[in-house]
Amino acid sequence: SLTNPMSCASFLFSECHNLKQLIIGNAVTNIPIAFCQHCTALTDIVLPDNVTNVMSDAFIGCTSLEYATLGKGLYCTGISMFEDCTSLKEVFMSDSLQMFSGRTFFNCSSLREIVVPAGVRDLGGFYVFQGCNSIARIVCMGEEPPLVAPGVFDSISADIERGVPCYKKSLYQQAYPWNRFENIVEHKYY
């Protein structure tokens, strides 16, 4: 259990191969560089609402990580935040999230669905979903298509289902690179 923000240092839990659970207390606001990199037994992580900043490589190489919850305080993901988390299946994100940094989900080969929160205006980082070959569905909650950097969807099939809010299909069909997706579906509950 991590409750003291002063003890939250870079590489703090790096290479802790037996770490299965980590509880981050509400006093922690910053997740530093390589905080839990290569913690190969860690299965889930919950960032409380007080966490406002996640630095690069925070959870890179956590190969058993299956679930992640990003609290309401987080504005932007860290670079390579979940890179090579090959067991990652679900990520729960709040609408306060506005941007994905480069390589956030790079090589998360078990990720089947991404729900892009309504607050996201920019999928700006290069290769955010590179190597996410299992993604079968992307749901965008935003009224307008987020900006997208080159390479973000390069390894994702163009025929996956792409969910958008009702009456917004034409906006997504006109915007690059959203227009490369063939199966854009409007859903009234989004």
Side-chain angles (χ1 to χ4, degrees):
S1 181
L2 182 65
T3 57
N4 182 354
M6 299 308 288
S7 66
C8 201
S10 295
F11 302 95
L12 184 63
F13 295 106
S14 179
E15 307 287 337
C16 289
H17 298 291
N18 294 321
L19 181 66
K20 292 182 181 180
Q21 182 182 27
L22 177 63
I23 299 170
I24 299 173
N26 288 332
V28 176
T29 59
N30 180 55
I31 303 296
I33 294 172
F35 179 64
C36 280
Q37 76 172 358
H38 303 291
C39 292
T40 54
L42 189 64
T43 58
D44 63 276
I45 191 73
V46 176
L47 299 183
D49 292 345
N50 291 31
V51 172
T52 58
N53 187 33
V54 177
M55 301 299 287
S56 63
D57 303 334
F59 304 101
I60 192 171
C62 294
T63 55
S64 295
L65 187 66
E66 293 184 9
Y67 304 99
T69 302
L70 309 182
K72 295 177 183 175
L74 194 62
Y75 162 78
C76 180
T77 63
I79 295 170
S80 298
M81 185 172 175
F82 296 112
E83 182 171 333
D84 291 330
C85 293
T86 54
S87 297
L88 189 62
K89 295 176 184 174
E90 283 187 87
V91 181
F92 303 97
M93 300 172 269
S94 80
D95 284 340
S96 63
L97 191 67
Q98 295 182 25
M99 185 174 137
F100 291 121
S101 294
R103 300 172 70 104
T104 297
F105 299 105
F106 188 90
N107 202 30
C108 290
S109 53
S110 295
L111 202 55
R112 303 261 319 131
E113 178 181 78
I114 281 288
V115 178
V116 179
V120 173
R121 302 285 178 253
D122 193 350
L123 292 177
F126 287 91
Y127 308 113
V128 172
F129 301 109
Q130 188 72 30
C132 298
N133 302 326
S134 296
I135 290 181
R137 185 172 187 222
I138 297 175
V139 177
C140 237
M141 304 297 276
E143 297 281 316
E144 295 183 21
L147 299 173
V148 179
V152 168
F153 297 123
D154 282 359
S155 63
I156 297 176
S157 172
D159 63 349
I160 68 164
E161 183 179 318
R162 180 67 197 84
V164 300
C166 262
Y167 312 111
K168 301 301 175 182
K169 182 176 179 177
S170 64
L171 280 175
Y172 281 86
Q173 287 175 322
Q174 295 169 24
Y176 176 82
W178 304 103
N179 57 4
R180 79 179 261 281
F181 292 103
E182 300 162 8
N183 189 12
I184 298 177
V185 179
E186 291 180 332
H187 295 285
K188 66 180 176 183
Y189 50 88
Y190 289 131

